[in-house]
Amino acid sequence: QVQVVESGGGVVQPGRSLRLSCAASGFTFSTHGMHWVRQAPGKGLEWVAVISYDGGSKYYADSVKGRFTISRDNSKNTLYLQMNSLRAEDTAVYYCAKDLPWLDYWGQGTLVTVSS
Amino acid sequence: DIVMTQSPDSLAVSLGERATINCKSSQSVLYGSNNKNYLAWYQQKPGQPPKLLIYWASTRESGVPDRFSGSGSGTDFTLTISSLQAEDVAVYYCQQYYTTLRTFGQGTKVEIK
């Protein structure tokens, strides 16, 4: 069955960096775009970034552009989100999701807390 | 960016009654060449990730109960729960996939009256 499992979250100080990973299984990872979506505590869903099936195209929300980088390793069936210059407002649960182009499978999420 | 606006922000419905959630996009998400609306609905229960309910504005995902239905076209869409069950208590989100930069509505919380 399809599974996407996020990891890499934790507590980080403002201005520091963190890299999230999303391990995919149960589908042909290399033929699907992938997204990161986040949810601040008690808030709604915010789309963060998308990467094409081959990594050739990447798009970002304005709120993270220039600070976050989405990437993938199709040989490892893994999606990444490199987060630099983190701010308190980046505190959220980060979900990875498979593109169809609707988001048909979501992971359980990984919590990132930006705090001094 | 396309702005998605849901109404109401919350609603309380009696068990067995109908719940209706509206979603309006700031520009049309109807793609002329295939006549499809690039609009999905998701359900999120407390402590869980979102779950896909509906895509193409009205196509139910496999396994979704038929009490959930989607309708609308262009800029105005509706999610209807025909007979609310206790397990339907959740927050519901619409999302457009017309543009590469995807956007969600702010969510509608559904509770039992």
Side-chain angles (χ1 to χ4, degrees):
Chain A
Q1 73 281 20
V2 173
Q3 270 198 308
V4 289
V5 180
E6 304 91 340
S7 61
V11 180
V12 60
Q13 293 179 327
R16 303 299 291 264
S17 299
L18 202 62
R19 188 177 84 156
L20 305 183
S21 300
C22 170
S25 61
F27 67 101
T28 307
F29 181 72
S30 61
T31 63
H32 289 274
M34 295 292 294
H35 297 259
W36 286 101
V37 176
R38 69 184 180 183
Q39 187 170 35
K43 302 297 184 183
L45 301 171
E46 180 187 15
W47 177 83
V48 173
V50 62
I51 187 168
S52 61
Y53 69 99
D54 61 355
S57 297
K58 306 173 186 181
Y59 298 91
Y60 301 91
D62 287 345
S63 57
V64 306
K65 197 179 299 181
R67 300 187 299 122
F68 290 12
T69 302
I70 189 171
S71 62
R72 65 191 297 159
D73 185 337
N74 285 347
S75 68
K76 296 181 178 179
N77 287 353
T78 302
L79 174 73
Y80 302 101
L81 185 68
Q82 177 67 43
M83 304 185 295
N84 298 332
S85 303
L86 282 162
R87 306 167 179 166
E89 54 264 36
D90 295 319
T91 294
V93 173
Y94 285 74
Y95 297 101
C96 68
K98 173 176 162 282
D99 179 88
L100 204 58
W102 47 89
L103 306 184
D104 63 338
Y105 285 95
W106 300 62
Q108 291 295 313
T110 187
L111 175 62
V112 173
T113 302
V114 184
S115 173
S116 54
Chain B
D1 295 1
I2 298 179
V3 177
M4 308 299 290
T5 304
Q6 293 180 226
S7 62
D9 289 334
S10 65
L11 74 162
V13 176
S14 300
L15 288 172
E17 296 300 304
R18 178 184 301 260
T20 301
I21 300 168
N22 300 302
C23 174
K24 188 174 184 67
S25 57
S26 61
Q27 66 185 74
S28 176
V29 297
L30 174 63
Y31 192 47
S33 65
N34 61 10
N35 202 37
K36 287 184 179 291
N37 288 283
Y38 283 54
L39 190 283
W41 289 96
Y42 302 88
Q43 175 194 63
Q44 188 178 32
K45 297 181 179 180
Q48 295 185 19
K51 172 190 172 185
L52 174 69
L53 293 178
I54 286 170
Y55 54 93
W56 295 137
S58 61
T59 302
R60 261 190 311 274
E61 171 72 332
S62 175
V64 173
D66 61 7
R67 63 180 180 273
F68 291 92
S69 63
S71 63
S73 185
T75 61
D76 293 279
F77 301 90
T78 300
L79 175 70
T80 301
I81 310 172
S82 61
S83 175
L84 191 74
Q85 305 300 302
E87 60 266 33
D88 301 334
V89 169
V91 179
Y92 294 84
Y93 296 91
C94 61
Q95 182 222 5
Q96 63 81 18
Y97 48 95
Y98 186 86
T99 60
T100 304
L101 274 63
R102 314 294 172 84
T103 45
F104 291 90
Q106 80 275 19
T108 295
K109 186 174 185 178
V110 174
E111 299 173 307
I112 304 294
K113 185 187 292 183

